[in-house]
Amino acid sequence: MTTAAHVPSDVETYLARVRAALADVPAEERDDLLAEVEASLHETASETGGSVAAQLGPPEDFAAELRSAAGLHPSTAPPAAGLREMIERVASDPRVVASARFLRELAPIWWAVRGYVALAALALAAGASWSRSHGAVPRIGNAELGAVAILLAVAASIALGLWSRRAMRARLPLAVLNVVLLAAAIPVAAHLSHRAQPATATSIIIQTEPVPGLAYNGAPVDNIYPYTRDGRLLHDVLLYTGAGTPLNVSTTAYDPYRRILSTKAGARVYNAFPVRYYEPGTRVVLRPNAGPSVKVPRIATPPLPVRKRRHRGR
């Protein structure tokens, strides 16, 4: 029999799986079968330079052929052993091994994501509010503390992952934790996608009743003080809109002390400014030139020519 030291690793693995498939065969008879085929397996591997399984098929099928050639009964291995063999076969597949190696290299990325998902899931479960400017940050007291909590959770998750690579007993509990956090990532992702949607601008029009009388920016105006360009306050200035409508102030409220101009026909004029008031019990305006404290700017534009015009009805 060729010594194990000279058997290529591929052949050695193949033989181990054939031996496992023949586990129910008596040991002496099984050793005789394997002694007969080991040399041919070694020769096949040396000649082809490829996988023995690719040339001869799966080890379990090859073991079944050996049984048939030797006139042995079919395998009576228990179902658990067959399942274990199937798992071992899948685990030893080169594609599975390469995928596992690739996922192992990506593990630190998952560790960081896992830390954030754990904190975000707890924030959702606790009904915490979230930052308006940074929608992925839960408010733990405030947004700044929420960002610090995220960094701490990510750092703790990475440290746990590094420790788990050395602690074999912790791998199963961590595997369960990873499954739970993968499930928790679904509501977290749904929450983040909902917050990432741009807010739809909604125009709200509040219908208000118009302010009676004269108003400026929605606020009622009870007086106007017209000044000339040289800062002189004018009296009894009549104001009109572009359509010729008088800008009246308080035409309905009873105010016995208000000085109201009248036409020759006796009609009252309510668009004369500034509005003045008599002293109670008299027809005297005590301070006719009183006005607000304003700073009239110095006008450099030449004045327009003034031409007197007689209006109809005067």
Side-chain angles (χ1 to χ4, degrees):
M1 180 183 295
T2 305
T3 60
H6 299 290
V7 178
S9 59
D10 185 52
V11 175
E12 185 179 68
T13 302
Y14 194 85
L15 279 173
R17 292 177 58 181
V18 173
R19 184 182 297 276
L22 298 173
D24 61 318
V25 178
E28 185 177 352
E29 192 172 357
R30 182 178 64 238
D31 291 341
D32 291 340
L33 286 174
L34 294 178
E36 294 176 3
V37 301
E38 185 174 352
S40 63
L41 290 177
H42 178 61
E43 182 178 356
T44 299
S46 300
E47 290 178 354
T48 62
S51 171
V52 177
Q55 298 295 324
L56 301 178
E60 293 74 20
D61 294 347
F62 187 75
E65 293 177 3
L66 288 179
R67 286 177 184 273
S68 178
L72 299 175
H73 56 78
S75 174
T76 57
L83 178 61
R84 182 172 60 253
E85 292 173 6
M86 183 182 68
I87 294 175
E88 293 176 353
R89 187 191 320 166
V90 172
S92 62
D93 188 287
R95 293 169 294 182
V96 175
V97 173
S99 299
R101 186 180 300 112
F102 177 71
L103 292 176
R104 182 179 176 84
E105 294 176 354
L106 294 181
I109 299 177
W110 163 243
W111 295 343
V113 173
R114 178 179 63 186
Y116 173 78
V117 169
L119 181 68
L122 290 175
L124 285 177
S129 60
W130 295 71
S131 171
R132 292 183 179 272
S133 56
H134 301 87
V137 178
R139 295 176 62 89
I140 303 178
N142 54 52
E144 290 74 13
L145 290 178
V148 172
I150 289 175
L151 294 178
L152 293 177
V154 170
S157 179
I158 293 175
L160 183 63
L162 293 174
W163 172 75
S164 67
R165 284 186 169 179
R166 299 189 299 270
M168 297 293 295
R169 290 180 298 177
R171 292 188 177 181
L172 181 58
L174 279 179
V176 176
L177 176 63
N178 287 334
V179 172
V180 172
L181 290 178
L182 279 174
I186 298 175
V188 171
H191 170 78
L192 295 179
S193 63
H194 175 73
R195 291 185 64 84
Q197 293 177 356
T200 303
T202 304
S203 298
I204 302 177
I205 300 176
I206 302 176
Q207 189 71 26
T208 60
E209 295 183 1
V211 177
L214 190 60
Y216 178 74
N217 286 341
V221 175
D222 57 4
N223 211 343
I224 295 177
Y225 297 86
Y227 286 84
T228 63
R229 57 186 289 144
D230 57 1
R232 182 169 54 89
L233 178 64
L234 299 178
H235 296 288
D236 298 338
V237 176
L238 305 182
L239 299 183
Y240 296 85
T241 67
T245 303
L247 293 178
N248 295 331
V249 172
S250 301
T251 60
T252 57
Y254 175 71
D255 191 350
Y257 302 116
R258 178 179 172 180
R259 177 178 176 270
I260 301 177
L261 277 62
S262 299
T263 66
K264 292 181 178 181
R268 293 193 167 196
V269 177
Y270 289 95
N271 64 326
F273 298 94
V275 177
R276 295 304 183 183
Y277 294 88
Y278 299 122
E279 285 295 302
T282 71
R283 303 291 290 179
V284 176
V285 176
L286 185 62
R287 299 175 58 196
N289 294 313
S293 178
V294 297
K295 184 177 180 180
V296 178
R298 300 181 63 180
I299 308 299
T301 306
L304 294 173
V306 178
R307 181 169 63 90
K308 292 184 179 181
R309 178 180 178 182
R310 295 182 62 85
H311 296 272
R312 293 182 179 179
R314 293 289 184 96

